[in-house]
Amino acid sequence: MALLDLLGRRMALRILWELSQAEQPLTFRALQAAAGTNPRVLNTRLKELRTAGIVVHDTLGYGLSKEGEALLSVLLPIHRWAEAWGTKLRRSLRGKALGRRKA
């Protein structure tokens, strides 16, 4: 699936997350600082995300397109599920580790 390939690329989800959290469009430098990436990777991902219609760029900076906002609305429930799953998994692993120490 083309979307999963795109989202699986280095920094793609982080860029979308940072844009979704911003109250206004972000300049290239502001997005680079927020995402903690290098200019080459950021430039490549932004080009790909713009080509896919997920990110837009105007005189104020970069932001999510309507399609990008719709995508995030689908991804956020997965994020919530992953957070709950991770918490359960950590508890389970801690419980197993404690069980081994008692034995």
Side-chain angles (χ1 to χ4, degrees):
M1 293 174 58
L3 176 63
L4 294 180
D5 177 53
L6 176 59
L7 296 179
R9 293 177 188 167
R10 185 172 160 206
M11 298 304 295
L13 285 172
R14 177 68 185 265
I15 292 165
L16 294 179
W17 178 257
E18 295 300 341
L19 292 174
S20 75
Q21 299 302 298
E23 294 179 10
Q24 59 191 19
L26 294 176
T27 64
F28 185 89
R29 287 182 190 251
L31 184 52
Q32 180 184 354
T37 189
N38 68 61
R40 185 182 61 78
V41 170
L42 180 58
N43 192 45
T44 300
R45 287 305 156 259
L46 285 172
K47 182 178 179 182
E48 294 167 347
L49 292 167
R50 287 176 65 195
T51 299
I54 297 170
V55 169
V56 293
H57 181 251
D58 61 22
T59 57
L60 298 175
Y62 293 91
L64 294 175
S65 66
K66 294 291 182 197
E67 287 297 322
E69 291 173 2
L71 174 60
L72 262 288
S73 72
V74 172
L75 291 176
L76 287 176
I78 295 171
H79 172 71
R80 287 190 292 272
W81 176 86
E83 289 290 320
W85 172 73
T87 299
K88 288 178 189 175
L89 185 60
R90 283 187 295 277
R91 287 181 186 151
S92 173
L93 292 174
R94 273 197 301 261
K96 289 179 182 178
L98 289 174
R100 282 193 296 253
R101 285 187 210 155
K102 290 180 182 178

XYZ file of all heavy atoms in Angstrom:
810
model
N 0.849 -1.180 0.000
C 0.000 0.000 0.000
C 0.892 1.240 0.000
O 1.782 1.395 0.834
C -0.904 -0.007 1.215
C -1.940 -1.119 1.180
S -2.930 -1.282 2.680
C -3.663 0.297 2.841
N 0.603 2.117 -0.913
C 1.428 3.319 -1.092
C 1.435 4.197 0.162
O 2.475 4.745 0.535
C 0.934 4.110 -2.293
N 0.292 4.329 0.824
C 0.233 5.181 2.014
C 1.123 4.647 3.129
O 1.877 5.402 3.741
C -1.198 5.326 2.529
C -1.327 6.132 3.823
C -0.863 7.577 3.613
C -2.736 6.079 4.345
N 1.047 3.357 3.384
C 1.873 2.784 4.449
C 3.353 2.873 4.107
O 4.184 3.083 4.997
C 1.463 1.342 4.736
C 0.058 1.180 5.320
C -0.237 -0.296 5.574
C -0.124 1.986 6.582
N 3.683 2.745 2.841
C 5.069 2.924 2.417
C 5.521 4.350 2.716
O 6.592 4.558 3.285
C 5.214 2.627 0.927
C 6.628 2.880 0.437
O 7.580 2.330 1.033
O 6.781 3.634 -0.540
N 4.711 5.322 2.368
C 5.048 6.721 2.614
C 5.161 7.013 4.109
O 6.132 7.610 4.571
C 4.001 7.642 1.977
C 4.165 9.134 2.228
C 5.511 9.644 1.722
C 3.021 9.899 1.586
N 4.193 6.566 4.887
C 4.200 6.840 6.324
C 5.310 6.099 7.060
O 5.748 6.537 8.122
C 2.848 6.481 6.943
C 1.659 7.306 6.449
C 0.390 6.838 7.122
C 1.885 8.790 6.637
N 5.772 4.996 6.485
C 6.842 4.231 7.096
C 8.228 4.803 6.855
O 9.201 4.342 7.440
N 8.310 5.799 6.012
C 9.615 6.396 5.730
C 10.073 7.255 6.903
O 9.261 7.826 7.635
C 9.557 7.221 4.452
C 9.323 6.347 3.244
C 9.189 7.121 1.977
N 8.771 6.210 0.913
C 8.328 6.593 -0.251
N 8.263 7.880 -0.547
N 7.957 5.703 -1.143
N 11.376 7.324 7.042
C 12.005 8.047 8.147
C 11.428 9.452 8.299
O 11.406 10.230 7.352
C 13.508 8.111 7.873
C 14.319 8.711 8.958
C 15.778 8.522 8.633
N 16.576 9.467 9.373
C 17.750 9.899 8.995
N 18.278 9.485 7.871
N 18.409 10.747 9.725
N 10.958 9.755 9.480
C 10.468 11.065 9.905
C 9.097 11.462 9.347
O 8.590 12.509 9.704
C 11.475 12.173 9.599
C 12.800 12.026 10.297
S 12.706 11.895 12.100
C 12.063 13.467 12.574
N 8.478 10.669 8.506
C 7.198 11.059 7.908
C 6.127 11.273 8.977
O 5.453 12.310 8.993
C 6.739 10.028 6.876
N 5.953 10.292 9.858
C 4.930 10.427 10.898
C 5.272 11.546 11.867
O 4.380 12.262 12.330
C 4.738 9.111 11.645
C 3.970 8.043 10.868
C 4.010 6.720 11.605
C 2.543 8.478 10.608
N 6.545 11.725 12.172
C 6.949 12.803 13.079
C 6.607 14.164 12.485
O 6.125 15.065 13.178
C 8.444 12.698 13.380
C 8.991 13.797 14.252
C 8.425 13.697 15.684
N 8.849 14.797 16.506
C 9.909 14.775 17.316
N 10.640 13.688 17.407
N 10.220 15.824 18.023
N 6.837 14.334 11.196
C 6.503 15.594 10.520
C 5.002 15.839 10.597
O 4.563 16.944 10.937
C 6.999 15.574 9.062
C 8.530 15.602 9.035
C 6.406 16.729 8.261
C 9.132 15.239 7.691
N 4.217 14.823 10.305
C 2.760 14.980 10.375
C 2.324 15.320 11.794
O 1.447 16.165 12.005
C 2.060 13.711 9.891
C 2.252 13.366 8.419
C 1.529 12.074 8.087
C 1.794 14.498 7.526
N 2.930 14.665 12.786
C 2.589 14.935 14.181
C 2.901 16.386 14.541
O 2.079 17.084 15.135
C 3.338 13.985 15.106
C 3.060 14.260 16.545
C 3.870 14.896 17.433
C 1.864 13.947 17.261
N 3.257 14.979 18.655
C 2.022 14.410 18.576
C 0.681 13.310 16.906
C 1.031 14.257 19.533
C -0.297 13.159 17.873
C -0.114 13.631 19.168
N 4.090 16.845 14.186
C 4.478 18.222 14.514
C 3.564 19.228 13.835
O 3.170 20.226 14.446
C 5.943 18.482 14.139
C 6.939 17.661 14.936
C 6.897 17.901 16.433
O 6.368 18.920 16.891
O 7.407 17.029 17.172
N 3.197 18.978 12.592
C 2.281 19.886 11.901
C 0.898 19.862 12.536
O 0.227 20.892 12.610
C 2.201 19.541 10.413
C 3.474 19.800 9.603
C 3.304 19.291 8.180
C 3.843 21.280 9.620
N 0.482 18.699 13.015
C -0.841 18.609 13.638
C -0.891 19.323 14.980
O -1.948 19.787 15.400
C -1.253 17.144 13.820
O -0.560 16.542 14.900
N 0.245 19.423 15.660
C 0.297 20.069 16.970
C 0.510 21.579 16.878
O 0.310 22.294 17.860
C 1.412 19.449 17.815
C 1.228 17.964 18.081
C -0.093 17.672 18.771
O -0.330 18.134 19.881
N -0.959 16.915 18.122
N 0.923 22.059 15.730
C 1.209 23.483 15.552
C -0.089 24.280 15.430
O -1.047 23.836 14.801
C 2.060 23.690 14.306
N -0.110 25.448 16.032
C -1.290 26.313 15.966
C -1.323 27.126 14.679
O -2.345 27.717 14.356
C -1.316 27.237 17.178
C -1.506 26.475 18.477
C -1.522 27.376 19.691
O -1.585 28.613 19.532
O -1.470 26.833 20.803
N -0.215 27.164 13.972
C -0.117 27.903 12.716
C 0.883 27.184 11.823
O 1.597 26.305 12.294
C 0.339 29.330 12.979
C 1.689 29.415 13.671
C 1.978 30.824 14.153
O 1.080 31.636 14.296
N 3.230 31.114 14.402
N 0.938 27.538 10.543
C 1.925 26.890 9.669
C 3.344 27.066 10.215
O 3.652 28.065 10.867
C 1.753 27.637 8.337
C 0.343 28.134 8.371
C 0.096 28.485 9.814
N 4.184 26.077 9.960
C 5.560 26.112 10.428
C 6.511 26.376 9.264
O 6.362 25.787 8.191
C 5.938 24.778 11.079
C 5.211 24.403 12.360
C 5.629 23.011 12.816
C 5.488 25.419 13.449
N 7.482 27.236 9.503
C 8.532 27.435 8.509
C 9.381 26.176 8.453
O 9.316 25.326 9.348
C 9.430 28.632 8.878
O 10.104 28.322 10.107
C 8.620 29.914 9.012
N 10.203 26.089 7.424
C 11.080 24.931 7.282
C 11.960 24.778 8.518
O 12.071 23.695 9.078
C 11.939 25.080 6.017
C 12.785 23.877 5.728
C 12.298 22.840 4.954
C 14.069 23.772 6.237
C 13.075 21.724 4.683
C 14.855 22.661 5.970
C 14.355 21.635 5.190
N 12.567 25.883 8.949
C 13.470 25.814 10.108
C 12.728 25.460 11.393
O 13.233 24.699 12.213
C 14.222 27.124 10.282
C 15.283 27.304 9.231
C 16.046 28.597 9.457
N 16.898 28.878 8.332
C 18.217 28.781 8.367
N 18.824 28.392 9.466
N 18.928 29.064 7.305
N 11.537 26.002 11.571
C 10.758 25.679 12.772
C 10.362 24.205 12.777
O 10.415 23.538 13.812
C 9.527 26.568 12.858
N 9.980 23.700 11.614
C 9.614 22.283 11.509
C 10.836 21.394 11.705
O 10.755 20.358 12.378
C 8.958 22.010 10.153
C 8.425 20.604 9.904
C 7.498 20.140 11.022
C 7.725 20.543 8.562
N 11.967 21.807 11.186
C 13.202 21.048 11.377
C 13.544 20.958 12.861
O 13.877 19.889 13.370
C 14.351 21.698 10.615
C 15.660 20.958 10.761
C 16.816 21.673 10.089
O 16.642 22.678 9.421
N 18.005 21.137 10.270
N 13.434 22.083 13.560
C 13.732 22.086 14.998
C 12.730 21.235 15.771
O 13.102 20.459 16.654
C 13.744 23.513 15.529
N 11.452 21.360 15.447
C 10.410 20.607 16.157
C 10.563 19.103 15.941
O 10.403 18.320 16.871
C 9.027 21.078 15.704
N 10.873 18.721 14.715
C 10.978 17.294 14.387
C 12.344 16.717 14.745
O 12.500 15.495 14.817
C 10.702 17.073 12.900
N 13.322 17.574 14.956
C 14.651 17.097 15.319
C 15.311 16.290 14.216
O 15.879 15.230 14.470
N 15.227 16.778 13.000
C 15.804 16.056 11.868
C 16.742 16.961 11.089
O 16.836 18.158 11.365
C 14.697 15.493 10.957
O 15.287 14.625 9.992
C 13.914 16.581 10.265
N 17.400 16.386 10.110
C 18.316 17.187 9.299
C 17.592 17.733 8.064
O 16.556 17.204 7.655
C 19.579 16.390 8.936
C 19.304 15.247 7.985
O 18.847 15.447 6.872
N 19.593 14.034 8.426
N 18.126 18.785 7.461
C 17.448 19.430 6.339
C 17.218 18.516 5.134
O 16.185 18.619 4.473
C 18.367 20.591 5.954
C 19.350 20.736 7.029
C 19.354 19.485 7.835
N 18.151 17.629 4.865
C 18.001 16.750 3.699
C 16.806 15.825 3.846
O 15.978 15.695 2.938
C 19.281 15.938 3.488
C 19.261 15.092 2.218
C 20.520 14.255 2.054
N 20.742 13.304 3.139
C 20.093 12.139 3.261
N 19.182 11.787 2.399
N 20.365 11.337 4.275
N 16.703 15.181 5.005
C 15.578 14.265 5.236
C 14.267 15.046 5.242
O 13.282 14.629 4.626
C 15.763 13.488 6.561
C 14.507 12.717 6.931
C 16.948 12.545 6.461
N 14.248 16.178 5.924
C 13.026 16.977 5.991
C 12.591 17.419 4.603
O 11.411 17.313 4.252
C 13.233 18.189 6.906
C 12.024 19.098 7.069
C 10.824 18.342 7.614
C 12.377 20.277 7.966
N 13.502 17.906 3.807
C 13.168 18.365 2.465
C 12.598 17.233 1.616
O 11.593 17.404 0.918
C 14.409 18.969 1.795
C 14.067 19.704 0.535
O 13.118 20.475 0.490
N 14.845 19.465 -0.503
N 13.220 16.057 1.710
C 12.740 14.898 0.946
C 11.340 14.502 1.383
O 10.455 14.282 0.552
C 13.703 13.707 1.120
O 15.002 14.099 0.644
C 13.229 12.484 0.363
N 11.107 14.405 2.695
C 9.791 13.996 3.197
C 8.722 15.042 2.851
O 7.609 14.683 2.474
C 9.798 13.784 4.700
C 10.487 12.572 5.183
C 9.991 11.261 4.560
N 11.086 10.327 4.670
C 11.914 10.016 3.675
N 11.727 10.479 2.472
N 12.920 9.199 3.868
N 9.053 16.308 2.998
C 8.071 17.341 2.672
C 7.689 17.277 1.200
O 6.511 17.416 0.857
C 8.603 18.731 3.027
C 8.613 19.054 4.515
C 9.334 20.369 4.764
C 7.197 19.102 5.081
N 8.649 17.045 0.344
C 8.358 16.921 -1.085
C 7.406 15.747 -1.331
O 6.428 15.865 -2.068
C 9.657 16.739 -1.872
C 9.464 16.655 -3.355
C 10.795 16.528 -4.075
C 10.584 16.418 -5.577
N 11.852 16.242 -6.297
N 7.687 14.611 -0.697
C 6.838 13.430 -0.856
C 5.435 13.667 -0.289
O 4.435 13.302 -0.920
C 7.476 12.228 -0.161
C 8.766 11.773 -0.799
C 9.566 10.798 0.036
O 9.268 10.620 1.249
O 10.507 10.209 -0.511
N 5.366 14.271 0.890
C 4.065 14.517 1.526
C 3.255 15.560 0.755
O 2.032 15.467 0.689
C 4.267 14.939 2.981
C 4.817 13.840 3.896
C 5.295 14.421 5.225
C 3.784 12.747 4.129
N 3.927 16.538 0.175
C 3.234 17.526 -0.666
C 2.732 16.888 -1.943
O 1.592 17.131 -2.366
C 4.149 18.699 -0.982
C 4.381 19.609 0.220
C 5.361 20.716 -0.084
N 4.812 21.608 -1.091
C 5.537 22.492 -1.764
N 6.831 22.604 -1.546
N 4.974 23.276 -2.663
N 3.552 16.045 -2.558
C 3.149 15.344 -3.783
C 1.927 14.462 -3.519
O 1.036 14.360 -4.359
C 4.318 14.493 -4.334
O 5.406 15.379 -4.649
C 3.919 13.718 -5.568
N 1.883 13.864 -2.334
C 0.752 12.999 -1.956
C -0.487 13.808 -1.565
O -1.553 13.227 -1.348
C 1.170 12.088 -0.806
N -0.343 15.121 -1.435
C -1.489 15.957 -1.076
C -1.805 15.969 0.405
O -2.892 16.371 0.806
N -0.859 15.552 1.226
C -1.082 15.475 2.672
C -0.606 16.746 3.373
O -1.165 17.156 4.385
C -0.371 14.227 3.249
C -1.000 12.970 2.641
C -0.438 14.190 4.762
C -0.241 11.697 2.935
N 0.415 17.372 2.819
C 0.980 18.606 3.370
C 0.879 19.691 2.315
O 1.025 19.426 1.113
C 2.457 18.384 3.782
C 3.154 19.690 4.114
C 2.531 17.438 4.974
N 0.616 20.905 2.757
C 0.582 22.064 1.866
C 1.629 23.076 2.318
O 2.048 23.081 3.480
C -0.819 22.719 1.835
C -1.831 21.794 1.195
C -1.267 23.124 3.227
N 2.030 23.929 1.386
C 3.003 24.975 1.675
C 2.495 26.277 1.089
O 2.047 26.322 -0.050
C 4.361 24.619 1.070
C 5.411 25.633 1.348
N 5.903 26.453 0.386
C 6.048 25.968 2.497
C 6.816 27.251 0.910
N 6.914 26.969 2.196
N 2.527 27.329 1.901
C 2.178 28.653 1.404
C 3.186 29.661 1.938
O 4.221 29.264 2.477
C 0.738 29.022 1.773
C 0.484 29.076 3.268
O 1.443 29.241 4.043
O -0.687 28.966 3.673
N 2.890 30.927 1.830
C 3.853 31.951 2.252
C 4.125 31.924 3.751
O 5.167 32.394 4.193
C 3.360 33.360 1.852
O 2.067 33.570 2.431
C 3.277 33.491 0.338
N 3.211 31.372 4.534
C 3.399 31.307 5.985
C 4.204 30.081 6.423
O 4.762 30.059 7.515
C 2.047 31.309 6.697
C 1.185 32.551 6.482
C -0.173 32.377 7.135
C 1.898 33.787 7.002
N 4.230 29.033 5.602
C 4.966 27.829 5.957
C 4.213 26.573 5.566
O 3.362 26.581 4.675
N 4.508 25.509 6.280
C 3.940 24.191 6.003
C 2.808 23.873 6.975
O 2.865 24.232 8.141
C 5.011 23.103 6.137
C 6.077 23.207 5.091
C 7.227 23.954 5.319
C 5.922 22.578 3.866
C 8.212 24.065 4.350
C 6.894 22.680 2.892
C 8.040 23.429 3.141
O 9.000 23.542 2.173
N 1.804 23.183 6.461
C 0.689 22.750 7.285
C 0.051 21.513 6.676
O 0.423 21.070 5.582
N -0.902 20.968 7.386
C -1.634 19.819 6.869
C -2.705 20.282 5.897
O -3.381 21.289 6.137
C -2.296 19.050 8.013
C -1.370 18.361 9.005
C -2.189 17.755 10.136
C -0.531 17.301 8.329
N -2.880 19.547 4.822
C -3.990 19.799 3.913
C -5.261 19.211 4.534
O -5.202 18.572 5.592
C -3.720 19.121 2.567
O -3.726 17.711 2.737
N -6.375 19.393 3.884
C -7.616 18.754 4.362
C -7.446 17.232 4.390
O -7.901 16.572 5.311
C -8.805 19.135 3.481
C -9.168 20.596 3.551
C -9.741 20.942 4.894
C -10.150 22.410 4.910
N -10.329 22.908 6.255
N -6.771 16.694 3.367
C -6.507 15.246 3.349
C -5.590 14.850 4.499
O -5.758 13.801 5.101
C -5.885 14.831 2.012
C -6.850 14.844 0.858
C -7.984 13.851 1.008
O -7.761 12.740 1.511
O -9.108 14.201 0.619
N -4.614 15.699 4.801
C -3.710 15.424 5.919
C -4.441 15.425 7.244
O -4.195 14.575 8.104
N -5.354 16.363 7.417
C -6.159 16.403 8.643
C -7.045 15.168 8.744
O -7.193 14.592 9.823
C -7.000 17.679 8.674
C -6.165 18.934 8.869
C -6.964 20.212 8.731
O -8.201 20.152 8.521
O -6.347 21.284 8.828
N -7.617 14.756 7.614
C -8.448 13.544 7.609
C -7.606 12.320 7.959
O -8.046 11.453 8.721
C -9.121 13.364 6.246
N -6.397 12.255 7.421
C -5.501 11.145 7.732
C -5.191 11.106 9.219
O -5.238 10.041 9.843
C -4.211 11.264 6.922
C -3.111 10.261 7.238
C -3.585 8.824 7.003
C -1.874 10.575 6.404
N -4.884 12.252 9.805
C -4.578 12.290 11.242
C -5.774 11.856 12.070
O -5.601 11.200 13.102
C -4.129 13.697 11.654
C -2.627 13.924 11.744
C -2.029 13.239 12.934
C -1.890 13.590 10.496
N -6.980 12.184 11.629
C -8.159 11.774 12.393
C -8.317 10.257 12.393
O -8.884 9.691 13.322
C -9.429 12.448 11.857
O -9.805 11.902 10.605
N -7.786 9.591 11.382
C -7.811 8.134 11.319
C -6.657 7.548 12.134
O -6.796 6.509 12.779
C -7.732 7.649 9.852
C -7.563 6.152 9.765
C -8.946 8.109 9.082
N -5.513 8.217 12.126
C -4.338 7.702 12.830
C -4.409 7.890 14.338
O -3.838 7.081 15.079
C -3.068 8.373 12.298
C -2.666 8.011 10.873
C -1.447 8.816 10.457
C -2.407 6.524 10.741
N -5.085 8.911 14.816
C -5.125 9.173 16.260
C -5.740 8.031 17.066
O -5.220 7.694 18.130
C -5.789 10.501 16.554
C -4.923 11.716 16.179
C -5.689 13.010 16.403
C -3.610 11.727 16.925
N -6.827 7.394 16.611
C -7.318 6.227 17.357
C -6.294 5.093 17.412
O -6.191 4.394 18.416
C -8.576 5.801 16.594
C -9.036 7.045 15.911
C -7.772 7.786 15.553
N -5.517 4.925 16.355
C -4.458 3.909 16.371
C -3.405 4.291 17.401
O -2.902 3.443 18.140
C -3.838 3.744 14.969
C -4.890 3.193 14.003
C -2.595 2.843 15.015
C -4.467 3.195 12.553
N -3.084 5.572 17.478
C -2.122 6.058 18.475
C -2.629 5.777 19.892
O -1.878 5.287 20.736
C -1.886 7.551 18.272
C -1.064 8.184 19.341
N 0.282 7.947 19.473
C -1.409 9.021 20.345
C 0.738 8.625 20.515
N -0.271 9.282 21.057
N -3.906 6.059 20.144
C -4.474 5.799 21.474
C -4.433 4.306 21.796
O -4.093 3.904 22.905
C -5.893 6.352 21.569
C -5.927 7.861 21.665
C -7.307 8.377 22.012
N -8.265 8.174 20.939
C -8.472 9.037 19.946
N -7.783 10.156 19.883
N -9.362 8.786 19.027
N -4.780 3.474 20.817
C -4.721 2.034 21.024
C -3.288 1.608 21.335
O -3.054 0.810 22.252
C -5.227 1.291 19.786
C -5.094 -0.195 19.935
C -5.986 -1.050 20.512
C -3.965 -0.997 19.559
N -5.484 -2.335 20.496
C -4.252 -2.325 19.915
C -2.758 -0.723 18.942
C -3.371 -3.374 19.679
C -1.869 -1.765 18.713
C -2.187 -3.072 19.076
N -2.325 2.124 20.585
C -0.926 1.746 20.780
C -0.433 2.160 22.164
O 0.328 1.425 22.797
C -0.048 2.371 19.695
N -0.852 3.319 22.647
C -0.468 3.763 23.990
C -1.008 2.800 25.042
O -0.288 2.393 25.957
C -0.976 5.182 24.253
C -0.244 6.245 23.479
C 1.171 6.445 23.962
O 1.404 6.419 25.174
O 2.056 6.618 23.101
N -2.286 2.422 24.927
C -2.886 1.490 25.887
C -2.219 0.120 25.795
O -1.919 -0.510 26.818
C -4.393 1.368 25.625
N -1.965 -0.348 24.607
C -1.303 -1.634 24.399
C 0.102 -1.618 25.000
O 0.507 -2.564 25.672
C -1.260 -1.932 22.904
C -0.451 -3.127 22.533
C -0.778 -4.436 22.723
C 0.829 -3.115 21.913
N 0.221 -5.252 22.235
C 1.224 -4.456 21.724
C 1.671 -2.115 21.475
C 2.432 -4.806 21.140
C 2.867 -2.454 20.875
C 3.237 -3.794 20.722
N 0.839 -0.534 24.759
C 2.195 -0.423 25.305
C 2.197 -0.448 26.824
O 3.059 -1.082 27.448
N 1.228 0.226 27.430
C 1.120 0.233 28.889
C 0.855 -1.184 29.402
O 1.504 -1.639 30.353
C 0.001 1.188 29.338
O 0.332 2.506 28.893
C -0.178 1.177 30.837
N -0.073 -1.890 28.786
C -0.370 -3.270 29.195
C 0.843 -4.168 29.006
O 1.153 -5.002 29.869
C -1.542 -3.826 28.386
C -2.872 -3.253 28.743
C -3.955 -3.834 27.857
C -5.259 -3.133 28.046
N -6.283 -3.616 27.105
N 1.532 -4.002 27.904
C 2.704 -4.832 27.625
C 3.803 -4.579 28.650
O 4.395 -5.529 29.164
C 3.213 -4.550 26.210
C 4.353 -5.423 25.714
C 3.953 -6.893 25.691
C 4.774 -4.966 24.322
N 4.054 -3.320 28.970
C 5.076 -3.003 29.984
C 4.712 -3.598 31.335
O 5.556 -4.150 32.023
C 5.274 -1.488 30.088
C 6.096 -0.902 28.950
C 6.422 0.552 29.177
N 5.249 1.409 29.181
C 4.656 1.893 28.092
N 5.126 1.591 26.896
N 3.603 2.675 28.197
N 3.447 -3.506 31.721
C 3.004 -4.096 32.997
C 3.198 -5.600 32.990
O 3.645 -6.185 33.973
C 1.543 -3.752 33.263
C 1.325 -2.323 33.657
C -0.131 -2.064 33.923
N -0.364 -0.665 34.176
C -1.485 -0.032 33.906
N -2.515 -0.692 33.380
N -1.612 1.241 34.159
N 2.851 -6.221 31.886
C 2.989 -7.666 31.766
C 4.457 -8.075 31.863
O 4.798 -9.030 32.570
C 2.406 -8.138 30.439
O 2.677 -9.494 30.224
N 5.313 -7.352 31.183
C 6.746 -7.679 31.217
C 7.339 -7.432 32.592
O 8.171 -8.210 33.053
C 7.495 -6.874 30.152
C 7.164 -7.245 28.705
C 7.856 -6.285 27.741
C 7.521 -8.682 28.397
N 6.903 -6.367 33.263
C 7.379 -6.112 34.627
C 6.923 -7.219 35.559
O 7.674 -7.667 36.414
C 6.874 -4.759 35.134
C 7.756 -3.598 34.762
C 7.456 -2.381 35.594
N 6.084 -1.933 35.462
C 5.656 -0.953 34.688
N 6.508 -0.293 33.937
N 4.388 -0.613 34.646
N 5.684 -7.650 35.394
C 5.160 -8.738 36.234
C 5.939 -10.022 36.038
O 6.254 -10.733 36.992
N 6.296 -10.338 34.805
C 7.084 -11.538 34.519
C 8.490 -11.403 35.114
O 9.021 -12.368 35.650
C 7.156 -11.789 33.018
C 5.847 -12.253 32.440
C 5.951 -12.459 30.946
C 4.576 -12.874 30.408
N 4.581 -13.038 28.971
N 9.068 -10.211 35.024
C 10.410 -9.991 35.573
C 10.375 -10.129 37.085
O 11.289 -10.719 37.692
C 10.946 -8.617 35.162
N 9.337 -9.618 37.739
C 9.222 -9.746 39.184
C 9.024 -11.190 39.582
O 9.563 -11.652 40.592
C 8.071 -8.888 39.699
C 8.282 -7.387 39.663
C 7.000 -6.655 40.076
C 9.432 -6.983 40.571
N 8.271 -11.948 38.787
C 8.051 -13.367 39.063
C 9.337 -14.163 39.011
O 9.559 -15.065 39.801
N 10.220 -13.816 38.084
C 11.516 -14.515 37.981
C 12.400 -14.183 39.184
O 13.133 -15.019 39.652
C 12.228 -14.122 36.686
C 11.692 -14.822 35.481
C 12.625 -14.636 34.306
N 12.720 -13.240 33.926
C 12.176 -12.703 32.849
N 11.517 -13.461 32.017
N 12.297 -11.427 32.585
N 12.326 -12.974 39.658
C 13.167 -12.587 40.817
C 12.731 -13.328 42.071
O 13.546 -13.634 42.924
C 13.072 -11.079 41.056
C 13.846 -10.284 40.043
C 13.863 -8.835 40.432
N 13.946 -8.042 39.226
C 13.531 -6.819 39.114
N 12.975 -6.202 40.129
N 13.649 -6.165 37.992
N 11.446 -13.594 42.223
C 10.934 -14.262 43.431
C 11.293 -15.745 43.417
O 11.399 -16.362 44.447
C 9.417 -14.089 43.520
C 9.006 -12.679 43.830
C 7.501 -12.560 43.901
C 7.069 -11.126 44.167
N 5.620 -11.010 44.196
N 11.444 -16.299 42.240
C 11.687 -17.754 42.134
C 13.051 -18.158 42.586
O 13.929 -17.553 42.942
C 11.493 -18.203 40.691
